[in-house]
Every structure is written in C-alpha cells, then in structure tokens.
Amino acid sequence: MTAMPRIERALQDAITRAEAAGAPPRLGAALRHAVFPGGARVRPMLCLAVARACGDDRPELADAAAAAIEFLHCASLVHDDLPCFDDAATRRGRPSVHAAFGEPLAVLAGDALIVLAFETLGRAGFAAPDRLPRLLATIAAATGMPHGIVAGQAWECEPSLDLSTYHRAKTGALFTAATLAGAVAAAGTADAWSLLGERLGEAYQVADDLHDVASDAEALGKPVGQDAAHGRANAVHRLGLDGAVRHLRGLVAEALDSIPDCDGSAELRALIGAQAKRFVPTSLATRVAA
Amino acid sequence: MTAMPRIERALQDAITRAEAAGAPPRLGAALRHAVFPGGARVRPMLCLAVARACGDDRPELADAAAAAIEFLHCASLVHDDLPCFDDAATRRGRPSVHAAFGEPLAVLAGDALIVLAFETLGRAGFAAPDRLPRLLATIAAATGMPHGIVAGQAWECEPSLDLSTYHRAKTGALFTAATLAGAVAAAGTADAWSLLGERLGEAYQVADDLHDVASDAEALGKPVGQDAAHGRANAVHRLGLDGAVRHLRGLVAEALDSIPDCDGSAELRALIGAQAKRFVPTSLATRVAA
C-alpha cells in the first residue's frame, strides 16, 4: 500500500475507535472535523518515507507513529485557532473547530487528539514493545516542554523571544520527530535522519511565512496576513520576498543533501522534491523558477 | 520511602525536566503552579497503594504511573477552570492558572501536562518495556475518548446526558485507572482491582457534590455552588444531604470489600479508610458519625 492510504487508514481507524459506543457524539464529530479531510499530511508522509528508507520491517508501528504525529499536528491547529490565540474562523477552507463546535469542544478536541496520539502509539507498541519507549520519547519531546510545539506556541506569551528557538520548537520539532520516529519505528539509526527533519522544518516555516504574505485566503483555506496582525516575526519581513524564496530553496537543497545513502533514498528525494514544489505560493512560482 | 514523598519526587523530577534550559519560562511557571502545592494526591496515592499491594517490584514504573495520573488530573483542572467552562478564578486556595497566567498559557499548560504524563510513563518504560503498552493503554483510556475524563467533560456540551455515564467518565475513569495502573506497573492482576477504583471514583464524586453544597469557598479553596450555577446534576440535589452521605458510606464500604486478599491489603484498607474521612465536609462530620 502506498503511503497516503496507509496514513488515512491509520487515522480513520483511531478516530473510529475514539467514537465508539458511549462516546459524547459532538466531541466525536469535532475530532473528525479536525482531522478529515486533511491537508497534504506532510509530516506523516515524511515519517513513512523515512521508515521505508530504513526497511519498514514493522509497518504497523510506522503507521502508528505517522498517525500520532498527524494527530498532534491537528491538535495544535485546533488550539492555535482558539479565540485566545489566533482567533481564526477558518482552517483548510472550512470553519475552524471552535467556529463549528464552540470553544469548549475545541479545547477538548485538542486534548483528546493529544491523548489519541499516544494511545495510538501504545496500541501498536504491543507488537514491538522494545521500540515503544524510544518512539514515545521522540514524539513526546517534539510536542511538550521544554522544546516541543506546545513550548513553541508558549513563546508567543513571553515578553521576548529568540526567533530561531521559537521556530525550532513551534514548527521544526514535529518535522524532526517525523524523521526520527520513522527511523525508530523501523529500527533505523535515528541520528542519521535528524538534519533532514530540521532543514525541512525550517523550509516549511519559511513556506508558511511566504503563504501568509503572498496567498489569498480562499486559496490557502485560512486567514492570511496573520503574522502582521498578531505582530509575529515573518521571514518575508526579514529577508524580503526574493530573499525568503532563495532561503527556502537553500534549505530544501540542504535537506536533500542530508539524506543518508540507503535503498529508499532515491524515492525519498523524489518525494521531498515534489513536496517542496507545494511550499511556494502559486503567485510566486515564476519567481522561484527564475 | 513512603508513598507521598515518592509521588512528590516523581512530580518534581518531571516538572524540573520540563523547565530545562531553552524552555519558555512563563509556561514552566504555569506548569509548576498547576501541580504544586498539590491537594491530597488521592489518585496517585491509590495507584501506589495498589502497586504495593501487588509487590511493587518496579517502583520507578509505579511512581511514573502515579505521576502521570496526577499530571492528567491537574491538566483537567486547568482546562475545566477556563472561562469557556467553569470560569473559576481560584483553585486549591490560590488563583487558577488562567487567573494567574492568562488564558493562552492555561490552554498550553493543560496541553503540556497531558504530554508530560505520557512522556513520564515512556521514560520509566525503558526499564520495563514489556509492561509499557498495557500501562499506556490503561491510562490513555481513562483520559481520552470514548470514556475518559476528556469525554466526561465533553458530555457537558451535549444536549442531553446520562448522569452515570457522565460521572463514570469525568471522575470514575481516572480512579479506576489509578488502581489498574498500580497493578499493571507491579505485574499484578489488573482485573481484580477495577471494582475498587470504580467505587472509590463514585464515592469521590458524591464527596465532591457534598463539598460543592456544604463547604465554604475558603475551606475548599475553590468556588462553591458551581453545580447549581452551571446547572449540573449533583447527588445532594437528587438524594438530599442525609441520603448523599449514606450513599457515600455505602460506596466506601463496597470499595473496602472489593480489595483482594494480598500481603498489602490491610495497609490499603487503612489508607482508604483515612482518605474516606476527608471525603466528608467538616460541617457534616457529625452527621456522618451518627
């Protein structure tokens, strides 16, 4: 089975279990709304691609890691959209979870997705308990304190922040975890894969900054100009449009160079090349091609 | 080491790691505020008591399970206190987390505590990976969907609810998990311990209802009369004061009767008897003694 159907099936199976008899139906619907239909599933795709490059000898564990990472990403989107943060009414072209279900269920949907991520990992861990502690540690470190995505979001509440620390936690941590977890799930050498995740995380952050400045809200499916509205640093403000696009291309090149030689490396390079094309808003595509 | 110092040390160690260099300091302070000073630590005490009754051959795993359960309990308090739920300005006699640190950090503190719970479990799991999947499954089931404390809180957002389903999820689930996890951490027979957790969870819910009606806010350290204010069901409204106290005593008796014969059962009965005394508000103590 190719990667995307594996990811969607793993997500579906877990959400279906969460909605089992006796569950509060509106929270079940809020979870489903938060996870489906998804975006490009960039992080779980990266996780599975690395697992495949490492032999993928425990596909159910790699699938669980990929699903866990996507659930944690969705949870962060649901909570970041809340009125006390970005107050975003739309996400992926539809109402955000709090816009559709109200603020209490949005808080609880984020909570339930975080729990579901670890529950999904644990369930797959019955068949490979020796790999579970490391996998759990890798994914938890990317999510919580001191350096995960929750910590990253919390930097927005500090009187001052170091921009690189902020981005590394808020965006980079889960990308790095995606590569490391893919390797750990397949008993690969995790360390060899960290630079790939780090560079892709940085590239994705620059891409997000470009989209925030250069896209229109309809194409992006969420509000644009949010960084300026919320006084957040943005690479385009710092480097200019051309500079940000050049920086993005450099990061993708470094990511590609970091891929260790292995059976699946050609496939992985092709995947990343294809993903990277989506990083640049349509309105800037000619600028990048130049 | 007796149980309470073990619990406090496990909580302190985990929070200290969460506050490591590079962490956003205000979120670190919010976590600490949410966890220390604690209440009676009823759930982790129960978890360790069952682990000891089962031989406690992996104390570091039992400590991690106890700490994880307390972190999840604290996370639920932080999120339940938010303006979109109870809007409670005080907790344990001090400002609630959102009152002290603002709503964004309260949302993130709850998120970080959920992650920290699973991270703490995973860290202890390196020394006993064979027990980790079951432990993780037990604690995740008590927390998330379909029947955990998050699901319980979500029933408040449904147009109608079954009171017993609501209480079983919102309060009972984590008590049951405390007994089961204590047994699993010590390789005991978990099934033998579920009734104890269920009955104590029910008893605790009735005790909470009694406190909400019969205590004053200063003694309780949080607002009283919240159930009436939020239109929530309360056992005292249903059974009357005397009826609720009688029901509570019956539940505690059933809990005590359910304890399996084992080396530590006398110690455990003594602990539960002592805890149960704290269940009844001082103003009702004579009524119970009667």
Side-chain angles (χ1 to χ4, degrees), chain A residues 17-18 20-28 31 79 84-85 103-105 107-108 111-112 114-115 118-119 122 125-126 129 132-134 136 140-141 143-147 150-151 153-155 157-158, chain B residues 17-18 20-28 31 79 84-85 103-105 107-108 111-112 114-115 118-119 122 125-126 129 132-134 136 140-141 143-147 150-151 153-155 157-158:
Chain A
R17 277 193 300 272
R26 293 190 69 224
L27 180 55
L31 292 189
H79 281 184
C84 69
F85 292 112
E103 204 176 331
L105 281 170
V107 171
L108 296 173
D111 294 355
I114 298 173
V115 177
F118 292 108
E119 191 167 25
F126 279 98
L132 183 58
R134 186 109 187 267
L136 216 169
T143 310
M145 284 278 273
H147 305 131
V150 173
Q153 180 69 12
W155 278 110
C157 306
E158 296 289 335
Chain B
R17 276 192 301 271
R26 293 190 69 223
L27 180 55
L31 292 188
H79 281 184
C84 70
F85 292 111
E103 205 176 331
L105 282 170
V107 172
L108 295 173
D111 294 354
I114 298 173
V115 177
F118 292 107
E119 191 167 25
F126 279 97
L132 183 58
R134 187 109 187 267
L136 217 169
T143 312
M145 284 278 274
H147 306 131
V150 173
Q153 179 70 13
W155 277 110
C157 305
E158 297 288 337

Side-chain angles (χ1 to χ4, degrees), chain A residues 242-288:
Chain A
D242 285 336
V245 172
R246 263 198 309 275
H247 185 45
L248 172 59
R249 298 175 75 183
L251 290 167
V252 172
E254 284 181 48
L256 291 169
D257 283 348
S258 80
I259 295 173
D261 281 328
C262 58
D263 281 351
S265 62
E267 190 189 349
L268 181 54
R269 283 199 183 88
L271 171 83
I272 290 170
Q275 293 276 8
K277 289 216 177 75
R278 310 176 63 151
F279 279 4
V280 181
T282 319
S283 61
L284 296 180
T286 50
R287 207 186 269 256
V288 179

Side-chain angles (χ1 to χ4, degrees), chain A residues 78-103:
Chain A
V78 173
H79 281 184
D80 290 359
D81 282 344
L82 283 171
C84 69
F85 292 112
D86 289 1
D87 197 13
T90 57
R91 166 71 67 182
R92 290 173 181 160
R94 295 187 309 150
S96 58
V97 174
H98 72 90
F101 294 89
E103 204 176 331

Side-chain angles (χ1 to χ4, degrees), chain A residues 116-140:
Chain A
L116 190 58
F118 292 108
E119 191 167 25
T120 302
L121 269 189
R123 177 178 287 266
F126 279 98
D130 53 315
R131 297 185 196 174
L132 183 58
R134 186 109 187 267
L135 204 51
L136 216 169
T138 300
I139 292 177

Side-chain angles (χ1 to χ4, degrees), chain B residues 29-117:
Chain B
L31 292 188
R32 198 165 273 286
H33 184 96
V35 177
F36 304 107
R41 310 286 196 206
V42 177
R43 295 158 191 79
M45 288 290 282
L46 182 60
C47 177
L48 284 197
V50 173
R52 286 155 80 120
C54 293
D56 201 18
D57 67 336
R58 289 279 187 192
E60 71 290 352
L61 198 60
D63 290 352
I69 286 168
E70 183 67 7
F71 285 141
L72 292 165
H73 172 58
C74 291
S76 81
L77 298 182
V78 173
H79 281 184
D80 290 357
D81 282 345
L82 284 171
C84 70
F85 292 111
D86 289 1
D87 197 13
T90 56
R91 168 69 67 182
R92 290 173 181 160
R94 294 187 310 151
S96 59
V97 173
H98 72 89
F101 293 90
E103 205 176 331
L105 282 170
V107 172
L108 295 173
D111 294 354
L113 287 171
I114 298 173
V115 177
L116 190 58

